[in-house]
Amino acid sequence: MAQVTLAALCWNQYTDWQSLLRAGVRADRLGYDSLWTWDHLYPIVGDSRGPNFEGWLTIAAWAQATERVRIGLMVGANTFRNPALVAKMATTLDHVSGGRTILGIGGAWFGEEHEAFGIEFGSGFPERLRWLGEALPIMRGMLDGTEPSATGPRYAMQSTRNLPTPVQPHLPICIGGGGEQVTLKLVAKYADMNNVGGGVPAVRRKEAILLEHCAAVGRDPAEIERTTGIGTVFIRDDRAEAERLFREAFDRNRIARLWENQPVGTPEDVAEMLAPYVEIGYRHLIAGVPARYDEESMARLVTDVKPMLERAW
């Protein structure tokens, strides 16, 4: 029987603070294994002119309010902050949470928020990935207590101490993105967890390429926990009711076009849709949870769908 890990990615856009806080507490109470939100300054789904809460402060508040769920950003924008500072923040969050922090990081992609906030966006994705490639050994060294130095060209620092050290002996780094030439190579070199998406065929292809990169750098792929986003989950015994809730959530977030192939329907429908991920080894399934954070759907993913998936494999 396969072990399936469930995660809640609670959208920090088009919501109020108390609802977002309660959603994180609910995920912890329901038995989710990990809890995430986005690291964005504007909404990234629907109309970008709506309300959006900052990610690091959100997960810090969740860390204080929860007891057992692992917590992180899906994923942090490397462009926003100096990597040594990010490692220091993650270490502090590890103490706040009692050793439950995951450092999520990626190259960043949303140009509008960078321009609006005056954050350097680089010449394009290749340059941002070079920055990420510089940042990762700094963060890993900081978390491991090796006092890393760096001489640029993007980052320069000298024997940077990180005291106190994290609560976890090895605070995990999750790298988000499926770029086949660079990002997945960085995953093979530095990540404890990956995150790819785009549906089952895309995940299957990315997995094959990740294995090639692991072989090239001499990394045991079993050391990397596989995660994937599964879309927005709405579960009811009545398929029409699940579909209605899905549409309402997208309207609330000002999303003009409904996403296709979402895990929306009965528990059996959702389990059937998710089973191929489990089959190919992506067993940390990250469910999108838009405001108003539907409690029944969150609960039934754990109580109804998870046992079906585990029994099937």
Side-chain angles (χ1 to χ4, degrees):
M1 187 168 81
Q3 182 177 354
V4 173
T5 299
L6 290 183
L9 171 59
C10 297
W11 295 10
N12 48 343
Q13 63 171 54
Y14 286 95
T15 187
D16 63 90
W17 169 247
Q18 289 302 322
S19 296
L20 182 57
L21 177 62
R22 286 194 297 268
V25 173
R26 180 181 304 139
D28 188 50
R29 173 175 54 81
L30 290 172
Y32 279 80
D33 300 283
S34 63
L35 172 64
W36 314 80
T37 199
W38 290 317
D39 188 24
H40 287 285
L41 307 173
Y42 282 168
I44 60 169
V45 182
D47 187 349
S48 65
R49 292 168 293 182
N52 189 86
F53 288 104
E54 196 277 327
W56 270 103
L57 288 175
T58 297
I59 62 176
W62 279 344
Q64 189 72 30
T66 57
E67 297 179 355
R68 49 159 300 282
V69 70
R70 292 192 291 169
I71 296 175
L73 292 174
M74 185 52 62
V75 286
N78 182 60
T79 50
F80 284 2
R81 306 167 190 91
N82 177 284
L85 176 61
V86 170
K88 188 70 173 176
M89 294 166 69
T91 299
T92 300
L93 188 66
D94 208 41
H95 284 265
V96 173
S97 66
R100 295 182 283 128
T101 296
I102 301 165
L103 197 169
I105 198 72
W109 59 269
F110 191 24
E112 181 185 347
E113 62 189 353
H114 287 76
E115 181 178 358
F117 282 80
I119 299 170
E120 190 175 357
F121 195 47
S123 61
F125 206 57
E127 183 171 39
R128 294 195 297 278
L129 286 178
R130 288 195 294 272
W131 295 349
L132 180 61
E134 278 191 53
L136 283 163
I138 295 168
M139 292 187 286
R140 184 72 271 162
M142 290 276 292
L143 296 175
D144 291 346
T146 63
E147 300 188 8
S149 297
T151 57
R154 177 65 176 173
Y155 305 112
M157 54 202 63
Q158 182 64 43
S159 301
T160 310
R161 296 186 299 276
N162 187 31
L163 297 172
T165 58
V167 174
Q168 298 175 80
H170 184 83
L171 194 156
I173 293 176
C174 176
I175 298 177
E180 297 178 3
Q181 295 183 11
V182 179
T183 305
L184 292 177
K185 184 175 182 179
L186 293 174
V187 170
K189 292 178 67 175
Y190 297 109
D192 303 288
M193 306 168 67
N194 76 331
N195 180 258
V196 295
V200 172
V203 172
R204 195 184 303 275
R205 173 179 170 81
K206 305 301 182 184
E207 172 65 8
I209 294 169
L210 175 60
L211 293 177
E212 292 175 1
H213 283 303
C214 285
V217 302
R219 179 82 183 276
D220 181 357
E223 296 175 357
I224 303 168
E225 183 177 359
R226 311 301 207 276
T227 83
T228 186
I230 59 174
T232 54
V233 178
F234 289 90
I235 302 172
R236 290 294 189 274
D237 293 323
D238 182 341
R239 289 172 178 159
E241 176 65 6
E243 180 72 20
R244 183 187 68 79
L245 293 166
F246 167 56
R247 291 176 177 274
E248 281 187 356
F250 271 53
D251 286 344
R252 194 176 302 116
N253 281 269
R254 301 184 190 172
I255 302 167
R257 194 172 189 176
L258 289 174
W259 294 352
E260 297 179 351
N261 301 317
Q262 297 297 290
V264 175
T266 67
E268 293 78 11
D269 294 335
V270 173
E272 182 179 1
M273 178 172 287
L274 301 184
Y277 292 114
V278 180
E279 180 185 6
I280 61 177
Y282 280 70
R283 295 173 179 174
H284 189 151
L285 305 177
I286 302 176
V289 188
R292 305 171 176 157
Y293 314 112
D294 183 61
E295 183 167 5
E296 182 174 343
S297 297
M298 290 180 71
R300 296 188 74 177
L301 186 63
V302 176
T303 60
D304 298 356
V305 176
K306 181 178 179 179
M308 294 180 193
L309 293 172
E310 292 184 331
R311 285 195 299 269
W313 301 103

